[in-house]
Amino acid sequence: QITLNESGPTMVKPTQTLTLTCTFSGFSLNTGGVGVGWIRQPPGKALEWLALIYGNDHKRYTPSLKSRLTITKDTSKNQVVLAVTNVDPVDTATYYCAHSGTMLGYFGPWGQGTLVTVSS
Amino acid sequence: EIVMTQSPATLSVSPGERATLSCRASKTVGNSVAWYQHKPGQAPRLLIFGASTRATGIPARFSGSGSGTEFTLTISSLQSDDFAIYYCQQFYNWPPLTFGQGTRLEIK
């Protein structure tokens, strides 16, 4: 059974770097066709895809935020980390990580999500 | 960037009836569309990928259809557990992967 769990701060201040960790089980992220992605949802808004990393360490980012995002993996810990630099209140959202079983770009299953508030 | 537009924003349907949700892509996406179900406070769940293939464990009352720019998610004989928000997503031309704004399916 595949499970994913997001962890990180619940609140960060503007201009700080937000670091989120996705800890997963039930699969290994050392296979090229398998990946983990990050998706966020601001309150009352739609889902927004952020980044995706594959077992072969290939990484893809949403172009509008690419300069602020870094996704990495630690296969020994079964973790994927997303860093978001220079956060702003508009980055307030529930952040989800999700498994991608192919290179195609859809996700399942997902973690429960973690709400992050950006406020001074 | 491919924009996915879902309609209606809210759909009110009685239990036992059929629900039809629509998703339109701003450019052709072939059959590279996925559908997700999302309930408040829960993890989104993959229902359909490749426009019409049910994900593992998804009941047969969920079906997807369409290709090109027009897609439909149909839920036959709605059950109480089906009332949620549904999102479509394209994975044809990315980055970025893009989602629709969602359709809220509520009990009539």
Side-chain angles (χ1 to χ4, degrees):
Chain A
Q1 179 188 7
I2 291 175
T3 64
L4 306 99
N5 186 59
E6 306 88 350
S7 60
T10 57
M11 186 170 288
V12 292
K13 297 184 186 307
T15 75
Q16 290 185 336
T17 295
L18 167 64
T19 302
L20 295 167
T21 299
C22 176
T23 303
F24 58 85
S25 64
F27 66 98
S28 178
L29 198 50
N30 57 15
T31 305
V34 176
V36 172
W38 285 94
I39 305 99
R40 72 180 180 181
Q41 185 173 38
K45 296 189 177 181
L47 298 166
E48 178 184 25
W49 170 71
L50 301 176
L52 181 53
I53 188 168
Y54 292 101
N56 60 5
D57 210 36
H58 182 58
K59 304 168 187 179
R60 304 190 83 174
Y61 296 98
T62 191
S64 62
L65 295 170
K66 185 175 182 179
S67 64
R68 298 176 50 214
L69 300 176
T70 302
I71 190 169
T72 57
K73 64 181 175 74
D74 185 334
T75 53
S76 66
K77 294 182 179 179
N78 279 356
Q79 291 182 334
V80 170
V81 174
L82 180 73
V84 186
T85 61
N86 192 26
V87 297
D88 179 270
V90 299
D91 295 310
T92 295
T94 297
Y95 287 77
Y96 299 93
C97 64
H99 168 267
S100 180
T102 72
M103 298 286 287
L104 295 177
Y106 59 88
F107 301 99
W110 297 48
Q112 296 267 19
T114 185
L115 175 62
V116 179
T117 301
V118 179
S119 174
S120 56
Chain B
E1 174 175 327
I2 296 176
V3 176
M4 306 296 283
T5 302
Q6 293 185 242
S7 61
T10 303
L11 182 61
S12 299
V13 182
S14 300
E17 295 189 340
R18 174 190 298 258
T20 302
L21 290 68
S22 297
C23 176
R24 172 176 292 178
S26 61
K27 305 174 186 177
T28 184
V29 293
N31 67 344
S32 298
V33 166
W35 288 92
Y36 302 89
Q37 178 192 67
H38 192 196
K39 298 178 183 178
Q42 296 187 20
R45 179 171 70 148
L46 175 66
L47 299 174
I48 301 284
F49 61 92
S52 60
T53 302
R54 277 189 301 278
T56 302
I58 301 303
R61 66 180 183 274
F62 291 91
S63 63
S65 62
S67 66
T69 61
E70 300 285 342
F71 300 88
T72 301
L73 174 70
T74 302
I75 312 170
S76 63
S77 189
L78 277 163
Q79 299 186 6
S80 58
D81 190 50
D82 299 335
F83 293 95
I85 301 174
Y86 291 83
Y87 294 95
C88 61
Q89 178 225 327
Q90 69 83 20
F91 51 94
Y92 181 77
N93 186 6
W94 64 286
L97 295 166
T98 51
F99 294 85
Q101 80 278 21
T103 290
R104 180 183 301 273
L105 181 58
E106 63 176 29
I107 300 175
K108 186 174 183 180

